[in-house]
Amino acid sequence: MFTHLFRLIWNKKKQNALLITEMFISFIVMFAIFTVVVFCYKNYRQPMGFVYEDVWSVNFTPPENITNADSVAIFHEALKNTLRSMPQITELSFSGNNIPFSMNTSNTAVSYGKHKKVMANVYNAGEDYLKVLNMKMKSGRWITKADAVSKNRIIVINSRLESELFDGQSAVGKTLGDDFPGLDQQNASQLHIVGVVENIKDKGSYQEIESGMYHPIDTGWARWTGTILLKVKPGTDATFESKLFKTLSNTIGTNIEIEHLDKKLISKNKIMVVPMIIAGVVAGFLIINVALGLFGVLWYNINKRRGEIGLRRAVGATGNSVSNQLVGEALVLATISLLLGCFFAFQFPLLNVFDLASGTYIAAIVLSVIFIYVLVTLCALYPGKQAAAIYPAVALHEE
Amino acid sequence: MIPVETTERIHHTNLNDNNAEVMIRLQNINKVYRTDTVETLAINNISLNIDKGEFLSIMGPSGCGKSTLLNIMGLLDNPTKGEVSIDKQDTTKLNDKKLAAFRNRKLGFIFQSYHLINDLKVLDNVELPLLYRNSTAKERRQLATEALEKVGLSNRMKHFPTQLSGGQKQRVAIARAIVGQPEIILADEPTGNLDSAMGNEIMEILLQLNERDGTTIVMVTHDENMARKTHRLVRLFDGSQVQ
Ligand SMILES: Nc1ncnc2c1ncn2[C@@H]1O[C@H](COP(=O)(O)OP(=O)(O)OP(=O)(O)O)[C@@H](O)[C@H]1O
Ligand SMILES: [Mg+2]
């Protein structure tokens, strides 16, 4: 029966080419959609790796009159003491402006051994940064106050960067080279790793975890540092926020901005989710369109073939075998389209087109294949059932 | 009214025998077609026994119900009333699966308009009935080739039906009807679309099948000459048997 189906389809290759093309395009569209969905879902399944609830960020413009290293240090110390004196604040740390869920990024290329120019996010972090965000060390230690003034440039890297650069070995104690622009050349290739911290999903719930490294806020950077992360007690309210605002305005000056990390996460996620919803709606319409098209073509084919169906019934086909044959034909056509589609789809992981994990593509391919088969089966089932119900005499009579 | 006519029997063998086996038994068959506006009584209370090995022809004016009767005999259509037994099996009680198996094993059909599948080559068309029973590809190939040899078309096996003449098409249809070695062949105006030379050729094949293989044949025809060559003629008029 199978070879019979093939022969029938082969002899009608011209009529079937259109249907195959339609299924092929549907597959490609679904493959694109599923790739994004699988990518986001995989990221979503990753733990955040830190606690962002009850974490506030304070952004300020560093006062212009404080310029030399000593006065900056004094200013920072005073600011810290003021904040620490508030019982609602349990932890605090200075930070670069690329705090979790912000729109800012800062990155660089680092190299180790045969791994050249690997991109990594660069975070400037104070000694209590780890505690404010409740991040976890994997090995080694976190940045200390002494690191900021150390002759060696000290860094802590995240677990993702460790696995990318060190092939399963521990990174602690190793030295990295980098091309950090603007650094004096003698230090440029001297990044001493003292610790590895667990990954955090600081770009949003659906974003991929990226490689990252944490620098202490050394004297060179301190002057430009304008962000503080605060951990407050649960339930701390707007009353305290306005008090905090006033206090900071008195200490620092104008341009104070206080944000809550949980709210920043929501708006950050929207950036990812809104286009996905739009794409989903568009894809939904496309699928309905394709389904109607498939349904229409199959319906038309079956009506055009009533004589054939009647004849098959006359020579011994049951209603079910007629309907199975029609569904089977549609599935054979789908298989041809899918083989074609898979050939294209597999180029993505093979050529590493978008730098996604090949598992993501393969999951997307599998999902698209299942989707198309289900869609085709559903579209063929009803016309098939209709065909099965045709009385052989009636079908034969019509020709 | 059209006179009753029974043609001279070619074979006087067991057909006159009272204990001849009945192959097809129609009992009080009625068929009513209902459309939105009219009710057509296409078959009006016909009872008919057709013996094993008999070659029966059916004649009658257009629209008198010949095809309808043949379709009922061939289990392609249900009678509105009455019973159809084939080879002592009451077919009214058969479900779709059993009916299909019955058509496949017992019956072969030949139609005026051939009903070949144009997208399949001649050989594949002839193989068709065998697809619906247990058979290997090799067996199918062999039986289909033999059937095509019988109708003298072994040189056209790889052609598509559209590349054949009407007579050739009908011979393919006959090959398809006989490939499963059915005991009964039902032919609805098999020569209706053919010229007389071609028609005679087809008729010869049918006669041979009847004589050599003992196949029971029921043939609808408009041609008195064809009918005369069969054992028995039944005339229909307005859905009734006039005899
Ligand atoms: N599917 C149907 N629906 C309604 N009426 C039908 C149907 N099939 C046949 N009829 C009617 O039943 C009657 C018998 O039709 P049938 O096809 O059996 O005639 P016929 O004797 O084979 O004619 P012809 O010699 O022209 O082939 C006709 O009046 C026809 O209009
Ligand atoms: Mg007719």
Side-chain angles (χ1 to χ4, degrees):
Chain A
M1 199 66 192
F2 207 61
T3 43
H4 178 74
L5 277 191
F6 261 115
R7 222 167 278 151
L8 200 59
I9 285 165
W10 176 250
N11 292 340
K12 287 198 287 190
K13 47 192 173 297
K14 268 186 205 142
Q15 290 107 297
N16 287 329
L18 210 68
L19 205 53
I20 288 176
T21 313
E22 186 167 5
M23 292 182 192
F24 170 78
I25 292 170
S26 317
F27 171 81
I28 295 294
V29 171
M30 289 321 294
F31 170 64
I33 290 167
F34 276 126
T35 303
V36 176
V37 169
V38 169
F39 173 76
C40 289
Y41 178 73
K42 270 168 100 181
N43 296 336
Y44 176 73
R45 286 292 304 275
Q46 296 286 328
M48 289 307 278
F50 72 112
V51 178
Y52 55 88
E53 288 93 353
D54 302 313
V55 177
W56 296 2
S57 74
V58 177
N59 283 301
F60 60 92
T61 316
E64 280 173 26
N65 52 340
I66 304 174
T67 49
N68 74 44
D70 287 345
S71 52
V72 168
I74 291 164
F75 168 66
H76 278 190
E77 211 45 48
L79 201 53
K80 272 191 200 169
N81 287 337
T82 313
L83 291 168
R84 277 210 185 96
S85 70
M86 297 175 165
Q88 285 88 346
I89 295 172
T90 56
E91 298 288 349
L92 66 97
S93 169
F94 282 97
S95 166
N97 66 357
N98 55 344
I99 56 166
F101 316 141
S102 80
M103 304 296 162
N104 303 318
T105 50
S106 147
N107 52 32
T108 184
V110 290
S111 307
Y112 182 83
K114 64 181 195 307
H115 301 282
K116 301 282 184 220
K117 306 250 182 207
V118 173
M119 291 308 294
N121 285 300
V122 182
Y123 304 93
N124 289 312
E127 62 270 18
D128 292 326
Y129 191 91
L130 189 80
K131 279 192 247 164
V132 174
L133 295 178
N134 208 352
M135 293 163 69
K136 300 274 173 294
M137 290 306 295
K138 187 182 170 203
S139 55
R141 63 168 179 84
W142 183 250
I143 294 160
T144 62
K145 239 178 184 173
D147 294 336
V149 291
S150 158
K151 264 199 177 139
N152 293 326
R153 292 185 56 220
I154 303 292
I155 56 163
V156 169
I157 66 172
N158 72 5
S159 153
R160 166 86 205 258
L161 184 59
E162 182 186 44
S163 60
E164 225 175 322
L165 291 182
F166 294 95
D167 304 319
Q169 287 178 294
S170 173
V172 177
K174 307 259 165 51
T175 307
L176 286 189
D178 81 348
D179 310 320
F180 213 35
L183 278 176
D184 32 1
Q185 285 309 302
Q186 64 184 61
N187 286 340
S189 57
Q190 299 277 307
L191 294 169
H192 296 275
I193 299 167
V194 295
V196 179
V197 71
E198 294 291 358
N199 297 324
I200 65 169
K201 229 160 54 170
D202 65 329
K203 305 290 182 201
S205 304
Y206 309 103
Q207 300 280 17
E208 203 176 18
I209 287 168
E210 295 172 355
S211 298
M213 54 196 236
Y214 297 83
H215 281 275
I217 301 172
D218 56 29
T219 45
W221 279 107
R223 171 165 153 43
W224 308 107
T225 299
T227 307
I228 308 173
L229 289 173
L230 305 174
K231 177 83 180 182
V232 299
K233 282 192 177 144
T236 307
D237 57 9
T239 331
F240 173 71
E241 191 175 328
S242 59
K243 185 185 155 205
L244 177 68
F245 186 85
K246 270 183 212 137
T247 313
L248 289 170
S249 303
N250 291 337
T251 328
I252 308 168
T254 49
N255 280 335
I256 308 287
E257 190 192 9
I258 299 174
E259 290 178 302
H260 297 210
L261 253 53
D262 50 359
K263 290 192 185 124
K264 283 179 83 71
L265 174 63
I266 292 168
S267 50
K268 180 84 183 179
N269 281 347
K270 268 189 195 149
I271 294 173
M272 197 74 181
V273 168
V274 169
M276 265 171 61
I277 289 173
I278 294 169
V281 169
V282 172
F285 276 111
L286 205 83
I287 290 161
I288 291 171
N289 212 352
V290 164
L292 286 177
L294 272 177
F295 187 82
V297 172
L298 293 171
W299 181 263
Y300 173 75
N301 271 347
I302 284 161
N303 277 301
K304 221 177 48 181
R305 288 167 64 184
R306 286 172 71 90
E308 178 190 333
I309 291 164
L311 178 82
R312 284 180 188 274
R313 298 294 307 271
V315 300
T318 60
N320 280 341
S321 67
V322 163
S323 121
N324 289 347
Q325 183 205 330
L326 293 167
V327 176
E329 273 181 46
L331 289 178
V332 169
L333 290 177
T335 305
I336 295 170
S337 325
L338 290 176
L339 286 176
L340 217 69
C342 284
F343 173 78
F344 280 96
F346 271 110
Q347 303 306 310
F348 283 81
L350 289 179
L351 304 175
N352 201 6
V353 178
F354 289 119
D355 199 29
L356 291 180
S358 50
T360 304
Y361 288 121
I362 288 163
I365 289 172
V366 170
L367 286 172
S368 315
V369 166
I370 293 171
F371 183 89
I372 296 291
Y373 272 132
V374 170
L375 187 75
V376 169
T377 309
L378 287 181
C379 288
L381 225 45
Y382 183 68
K385 278 274 166 291
Q386 288 296 104
I390 298 174
Y391 253 108
V394 176
L396 287 166
H397 191 83
E398 282 167 1
E399 290 228 333
Chain B
M1 277 279 153
I2 295 159
V4 177
E5 180 185 359
T6 306
T7 47
E8 212 187 317
R9 290 171 196 268
I10 295 168
H11 298 281
H12 298 274
T13 46
N14 61 6
L15 286 171
N16 285 328
D17 235 336
N18 283 336
N19 56 17
E21 268 185 80
V22 175
M23 197 58 172
I24 302 173
R25 181 192 295 276
L26 303 181
Q27 269 176 304
N28 307 102
I29 299 292
N30 266 35
K31 178 73 189 180
V32 180
Y33 284 114
R34 284 193 183 83
T35 54
D36 296 338
T37 48
V38 284
E39 256 187 27
T40 315
L41 182 62
I43 302 288
N44 183 11
N45 197 29
I46 288 187
S47 296
L48 191 64
N49 284 350
I50 299 162
D51 290 336
K52 197 171 208 167
E54 192 173 2
F55 194 155
L56 179 94
S57 50
I58 301 175
M59 290 189 79
S62 185
C64 70
K66 303 182 295 294
S67 298
T68 306
L69 188 65
L70 204 69
N71 285 341
I72 288 171
M73 279 184 206
L75 311 178
L76 298 179
D77 210 348
N78 288 328
T80 313
K81 237 168 62 191
E83 256 178 44
V84 182
S85 300
I86 293 179
D87 209 5
K88 299 185 193 75
Q89 168 79 56
D90 180 4
T91 59
T92 40
K93 292 180 180 66
L94 296 178
N95 60 18
D96 182 50
K97 201 173 164 187
K98 292 237 174 71
L99 272 179
F102 215 86
R103 286 196 285 260
N104 182 261
R105 300 240 153 231
K106 293 262 177 208
L107 303 166
F109 293 92
I110 303 166
F111 306 94
Q112 180 176 2
S113 52
Y114 324 123
H115 280 301
L116 301 177
I117 298 175
N118 285 333
D119 295 310
L120 289 176
K121 288 182 183 153
V122 164
L123 193 61
D124 295 320
N125 262 293
V126 175
E127 278 185 19
L128 207 60
L130 305 176
L131 277 177
Y132 297 103
R133 55 171 84 166
N134 288 329
S135 60
T136 64
K138 212 175 139 188
E139 284 165 7
R140 289 200 292 270
R141 202 95 307 196
Q142 187 176 347
L143 287 173
T145 313
E146 282 170 15
L148 281 166
E149 274 164 8
K150 273 191 193 160
V151 298
L153 265 188
S154 36
N155 56 339
R156 293 282 189 278
M157 289 195 291
K158 296 288 169 198
H159 284 57
F160 282 99
T162 45
Q163 299 165 324
L164 301 180
S165 73
Q168 287 169 332
K169 282 187 198 172
Q170 196 57 297
R171 281 191 280 167
V172 175
I174 292 173
R176 183 183 62 199
I178 64 173
V179 72
Q181 286 150 347
E183 291 165 69
I184 303 164
I185 284 181
L186 303 174
D188 194 349
E189 300 186 44
T191 59
N193 280 348
L194 306 174
D195 66 23
S196 60
M198 213 59 201
N200 283 330
E201 226 173 279
I202 298 294
M203 192 61 198
E204 278 313 307
I205 297 173
L206 292 177
L207 282 168
Q208 236 183 43
L209 273 171
N210 176 250
E211 278 166 38
R212 220 196 276 155
D213 305 340
T215 311
T216 309
I217 302 181
V218 182
M219 178 180 75
V220 171
T221 182
H222 278 296
D223 190 330
E224 296 278 353
N225 292 328
M226 299 286 179
R228 217 164 282 137
K229 292 180 187 166
T230 65
H231 302 156
R232 178 152 67 115
L233 168 65
V234 166
R235 284 192 189 274
L236 295 186
F237 189 77
D238 264 359
S240 302
Q241 190 179 349
V242 278
Q243 211 164 11

